[in-house]
Amino acid sequence: MSEETPAPLWEVFIRSKRGLSHNHVGSLHAPDAEMALRNARDVYTRRMEGVSIWVVPSAVITASSPDEKDSFFDPAADKPYRHPTFYSIPKEVQQL
Amino acid sequence: MRSSGQIDQGGAEGVPTGSPAAADPVADPREADFQALIDADQRIEPRDWMPDGYRKTLIRQIAQHAHSEIIGMQPEGNWITRAPSLRRKAILMAKVQDEAGHGLYLYCAAETLGVDRAELIDLLHQGRQKYSSIFNYPTLTWADVGAIGWLVDGAAITNQIPLCRCSFGPYARAMVRVCKEESFHQRQGFESLYTLSHGSPEQHEMAQDAVNRWWWPSIEMLGPPDTDSTHSAQSTAWGIKRFSNDALRQRFVDMVAPQAVVLGLTPPDPELRWNEQRGHYDFGEPDFEELRRVVGGDGPCNRQRAAHHLKAHEDGAWVREASAAYAAKHAATTAAA
Ligand SMILES: [Fe+2]
Ligand SMILES: [Fe+2]
């Protein structure tokens, strides 16, 4: 029984309604993309949780490394001037 | 089970290859950062560094939880063909399908820790990983289906709600989905039992008999008493366990005791009564010796449940082989075109 090669792993993304982007909901095993979609429908949308499903082979996803998370995201850390709250505006200006 | 040093695949959320074997996790300087995240009530994600013990504890607990959902389909599945009406049959099928879904959410969470589902299922078949003791009891009458929904799913919800805040992200997220679906399970059980209890005298008696048999096993399902619960302190420090077994048990009894009154059924516990001073129900001492026996393999249906799972798995092998062959053939045709 353990000689079987397990079917590949797929990451599942679901658009819960029109106007929203697809969100990652989990993963599942399936031999091919077609079956992955069908399985995703049965596992993740039994209560109308989605109007669209993406399945992506887990193996093709490239992820940032948690070990370098500080240095990787560092460039954004010292640039508060990218946020509107960085700027002081005279009180007379009601909306800007 | 693979040690973390041998992990070779974990998917997008999985563990990076070459994750340290952590011979002495206490000495690892990353442990302080890890614990600081937990103490700040942040979540640990699969690719973060984590102590070997944390990973192993979670794999064991999530796998056991997943197996419970899957084995838990059997006692209720037993009644699908004999449900008394089309309405009840549709409800029961939906519930059993949900349990399959819960098992899959949980296997998916376990796999982010660097194990394969196939490996976990092998361990279940070898009896090296367990599932909840409760599913080793038989479903003798239709009323048992109602009693399971009310009591067993009720106890499961009590246990699972705090797990929605578990420190391991994928487990917590799976639990949020599961808990959303569980409330239907408990309500349909209550409704079914209520209908029986307020039906003919025979139906009422059948409902009472089911409660007599499921009451104590459901209370025992929340685990051994705090005095001999082995992994509790470390699991609490790691943010995996938020409440002790006895605290959860009290919470469960406080929830179901007044519901029993509404059902018009009497729990088989002469010591069950409201304690004004404590603000809780008092209840009798569960038979933890029986729990130990059933967990140890000697419940009424242990062998039957394991054999059924193995048979279903083996009977399904040709489907997995055929779909793999189809996928391979299709991939070859696409590549050639
Ligand atoms: Fe469940
Ligand atoms: Fe359930």
Side-chain angles (χ1 to χ4, degrees):
Chain A
M1 58 192 167
S2 24
E3 290 110 60
E4 273 178 48
T5 343
L9 196 63
W10 302 75
E11 300 298 325
V12 180
F13 299 79
I14 291 184
R15 182 200 300 289
S16 56
K17 59 178 184 191
R18 289 179 175 279
L20 298 178
S21 53
H22 287 75
N23 272 332
H24 183 245
V25 292
S27 64
L28 50 75
H29 288 276
D32 57 28
E34 177 80 31
M35 285 297 293
L37 269 183
R38 283 171 182 276
N39 291 352
R41 178 200 58 191
D42 293 345
V43 177
Y44 292 105
T45 65
R46 286 191 304 283
R47 289 176 177 77
M48 313 282 295
E49 290 95 335
V51 294
S52 163
I53 303 177
W54 289 348
V55 290
V56 180
S58 307
V60 304
I61 291 181
T62 307
S64 61
S65 160
D67 293 339
E68 55 186 49
K69 67 175 188 303
D70 294 334
S71 56
F72 191 71
F73 295 104
D74 249 1
D78 58 354
K79 297 177 182 62
Y81 46 82
R82 283 177 171 166
H83 297 275
T85 46
F86 180 75
Y87 304 91
S88 50
I89 302 293
K91 272 196 206 64
E92 307 91 88
V93 183
Q94 303 268 314
Q95 269 189 347
L96 188 75
Chain B
M1 192 183 310
R2 269 186 219 150
S3 80
S4 64
Q6 294 167 285
I7 287 160
D8 55 18
Q9 178 226 349
E13 283 228 278
V15 195
T17 48
S19 172
D24 180 7
V26 183
D28 198 297
R30 289 169 291 189
E31 175 121 22
D33 295 339
F34 165 85
Q35 193 62 50
L37 279 175
I38 289 175
D39 295 343
D41 208 19
Q42 295 267 335
R43 297 292 173 267
I44 303 300
E45 295 296 343
R47 285 166 56 91
D48 290 334
W49 180 89
M50 61 186 80
D52 227 30
Y54 179 81
R55 185 187 303 279
K56 283 193 178 131
T57 299
L58 276 168
I59 290 174
R60 189 187 57 231
Q61 180 172 334
I62 300 173
Q64 176 168 332
H65 196 159
H67 298 329
S68 301
E69 302 282 356
I70 298 297
I71 297 284
M73 292 193 286
Q74 292 185 38
E76 289 175 292
N78 181 34
W79 280 93
I80 289 177
T81 55
R82 293 172 290 162
S85 68
L86 194 53
R87 178 177 183 268
R88 293 289 176 202
K89 188 193 290 246
I91 291 169
L92 186 54
M93 279 174 61
K95 183 191 188 269
V96 173
Q97 278 183 318
D98 271 358
E99 305 301 3
H102 298 175
L104 292 174
Y105 306 155
L106 286 157
Y107 285 126
C108 150
E111 286 193 311
T112 67
L113 290 159
V115 281
D116 289 331
R117 185 177 72 191
E119 214 176 322
L120 301 177
I121 289 170
D122 266 358
L123 289 168
L124 172 68
H125 289 159
Q126 293 163 25
R128 288 167 58 204
Q129 275 180 349
K130 299 198 181 309
Y131 55 85
S132 178
S133 57
I134 194 82
F135 302 117
N136 290 315
Y137 292 87
T139 38
L140 303 178
T141 73
W142 166 252
D144 288 23
V145 171
I148 289 179
W150 176 47
L151 292 172
V152 176
D153 289 86
I157 293 169
T158 308
N159 188 39
Q160 286 165 348
I161 285 175
L163 286 171
C164 294
R165 291 170 52 232
C166 162
S167 63
F168 186 57
Y171 192 23
R173 292 192 285 274
M175 279 302 108
V176 171
R177 296 187 77 89
V178 167
C179 285
K180 265 189 207 154
E181 301 181 353
E182 284 294 347
S183 57
F184 134 63
H185 297 181
Q186 203 193 10
R187 285 177 76 125
Q188 64 82 32
F190 184 91
E191 187 208 63
S192 174
L193 216 46
Y194 186 92
T195 307
L196 286 173
S197 176
H198 294 81
S200 69
E202 291 81 6
Q203 287 172 324
H204 177 86
E205 200 183 315
M206 189 163 86
Q208 180 62 56
D209 169 64
V211 169
N212 290 347
R213 285 180 290 107
W214 289 94
W215 180 265
W216 285 113
S218 303
I219 287 176
E220 288 154 21
M221 186 184 155
L222 291 154
D226 294 353
T227 41
D228 47 287
S229 185
T230 37
H231 308 290
S232 273
Q234 184 58 75
S235 279
T236 305
W238 277 336
I240 297 172
K241 199 168 173 55
R242 303 235 170 212
F243 299 97
S244 77
N245 293 352
D246 287 339
L248 292 172
R249 199 175 343 266
Q250 180 71 63
R251 192 175 292 184
F252 173 63
V253 172
D254 287 348
M255 170 176 75
V256 289
Q259 293 172 351
V261 178
V262 180
L263 283 170
L265 299 169
T266 314
D269 179 359
E271 292 172 57
L272 181 71
R273 72 179 62 85
W274 177 251
N275 182 324
E276 194 70 53
Q277 276 107 52
R278 292 202 309 125
H280 290 291
Y281 280 86
D282 288 339
F283 56 100
E285 169 81 359
D287 185 352
F288 291 116
E289 195 38 56
E290 176 181 345
L291 175 66
R292 249 187 302 277
R293 228 173 27 244
V294 178
V295 169
D298 247 346
C301 301
N302 294 53
R303 272 164 285 270
Q304 180 188 336
R305 300 292 185 236
H308 183 88
H309 190 280
L310 183 61
K311 181 175 186 304
H313 187 71
E314 287 175 348
D315 288 353
W318 73 270
V319 179
R320 294 189 295 276
E321 280 158 24
S323 59
Y326 178 82
K329 185 176 150 195
H330 210 74
T333 325
T334 319

